[in-house]
Amino acid sequence: MQNVYLGIVLAPLFGAIVAGLFGRKIGRAGAHWVTIIGVAVSFLLSLVVLRHHVLNGAEPYNESLYTWMVVEGIRMEVGFLVDNLTAVMISTVTFVSLMVHIYTIGYMHDDDGYQRFFSYIALFTFAMLMLVMSNNFLQLFFGWEGVGLVSYLLIGFWYKRESAIFASLKAFLVNRVGDFGFMLGIAAVLMAFNSIDYADVFAAAPLMADMTVQVIPGVDWSLMTLICILLFIGAMGKSAQVPLHVWLPDSMEGPTPISALIHAATMVTAGIFMVARMSPLFELSETALSVVLVIGSITALFMGFLGIVQNDIKRVVAYSTLSQLGYMTVALGVSAYSAAIFHLMTHAFFKALLFLGAGSVIIAMHHEQDIRKMGGLWKYMPITWFTFLLGTLALIGTPGFAGFYSKDSILEAVHYSHIAGAGFAYFAVMLGVFVTSFYSFRLYFLVFHGKERMDHHTQEHLHETPAVVTVPLILLAIPSVVIGAMAIGPLLFGTVFDGPIVVSPAHNVLEHLREHFHEVGGAFNFALHGVIGLPFILVLIGLGSAFYLYMIRPDLPDLIQRKFATLYDIMVRKYLFDEIYQAVFMRGSRSLGTALWKYADAGLIDGLMVNGTARLVGWFGAITRQVQTGYLYTYAFAMIVGLLVLLTWFVTR
């Protein structure tokens, strides 16, 4: 199987290298074929791994393939840990990536950077696979930084746009903040365990559960709490949790295929996966779990609110991603790691579907993205309309759809949890159900139904997008409907994740849910039970509210907006996070840099040490030049004076 594992990561890398270095020689068709075949091979091999480990119950594979260096007994290696968690992740990543690659042929058809784009997205897939399959913190960090680097390249892909350059820099810098915490977390692991290998660290962790360290002299901190919070800061950056969320909405400046890839299967899911992989550590710190829970709750609710006021079709879906990432983080916080991964998987399918559906609309609308200039598209784009509806129903948690099983599992898990912050989290995620339903159907009604608000020229040329665009939509719509019912039993209530994920008995909220699941008789009755539950009632209220406001009384939203103008302005300005960061960090760092340059660099270093030394030497040289006159009597006089001084000193001793 080792060759299979190598093939999974190397096939996309091969495609990326060929398309990137030889794109001009092989042409546009060659670039998309070599990368699509590479990712397709990776996907097929991932299915082999899924069958081998999940269906056949094979033992986890944990081997080092290459030793980079050994420093004082610490081995820095490239290796793979392939277990059931890895198998589920790589299958999801490669399938979504394959759909995005195929879709890109249609979306980027006329773009001058065609070959470059295919090279980047294949490289993105490679970096994510290296992250997911790593068996040590060094390789994890390599993949972590790899997806960060490629996201920077892809968000700023249209580098002639100033907004794209700003967005890519913003993503890069915000992620550096999170990555600083992540590096400190890895350093703390190395310091405490003298190893960066997962197996060594996880085996030794229970023995160090009560160990403390003094970051501040005289103040004892739990070592596990410190490590877990530092690692989670890294996850906050990658998975866009408040307050390190500000880069994700601006990532919409990149082409739509990369928006789908970032939001569905790579980059933002890296933080969720990492915390789930680190469950043996997080289970030893209830404080860290509470921090994760509260941060996720705030993100799930308040980022959902912002989706209500967005008018860019991609940004509405982007804020939906932020909110759903909050749900996954909440699941991690209540130790429902399996539920977080389950929602990550279902979300990958329907979120990729929604983004690619939005891209299909953008193509048909000649790259118009304002939903206020759309309407009535269902009759022109029936495939996009129907698949987008399926994705929306999955997102809001309609019973029977994939999103229902994963989201309702999270809601129930939070309900059973007793750790600090669980009460607030339950309120936030339950209210978030209504908010999600409202902004999702606001988007759906404004784009596909109601009055046609596009200009006459656009209306005349509206038609369904080509098959290369619609086929990936259909293929993504299928798992968006059925994967939840198929996977909930084995993934959430079976033994699939029993080895890779560790949950202490005191935190095992899914055990209560497992009993309930078997009582109601499996996936079908679970969905039937959900029809009479509070979450579905909130879904219907959100749907009904959106229908009333945007289909029956479309004049009301403007009246409400004017009535609550101040609140609306704060929400449109994203709770002023950008302004605060600009004032405090950007202007503050500029002012600090200017002061350091003026007083430390120009004043102290240049003025006193460098230029001051030069001036001192010059002054001393000017004095000594007065002595070196070249006249014999001057030197004779100096010798006589010197002799008199020496004689005086000897006589008076």
Side-chain angles (χ1 to χ4, degrees), residues 90-130:
I90 61 176
S91 301
T92 304
V93 169
T94 51
F95 176 73
V96 172
S97 179
L98 179 59
M99 294 301 102
V100 170
H101 274 70
I102 297 170
Y103 177 93
T104 299
I105 298 174
Y107 193 89
M108 301 294 288
H109 183 264
D110 299 320
D111 199 280
D112 293 336
Y114 191 83
Q115 294 97 315
R116 179 165 56 94
F117 189 82
F118 272 98
S119 174
Y120 286 171
I121 57 176
L123 187 62
F124 207 172
T125 307
F126 160 73
M128 187 64 185
L129 291 171
M130 285 293 284

Side-chain angles (χ1 to χ4, degrees), residues 567-586:
L567 177 62
Y568 179 80
D569 182 60
I570 291 172
M571 293 178 70
V572 167
R573 293 165 66 184
K574 299 171 280 189
Y575 304 127
L576 309 181
F577 269 102
D578 285 342
E579 286 90 336
I580 293 169
Y581 285 173
Q582 284 220 346
V584 176
F585 296 108
M586 293 182 67

Side-chain angles (χ1 to χ4, degrees), residues 151-163:
S151 70
Y152 165 78
L153 296 172
L154 285 164
I155 294 169
F157 181 79
W158 287 320
Y159 56 85
K160 293 183 181 179
R161 294 184 184 178
E162 188 175 340
S163 57

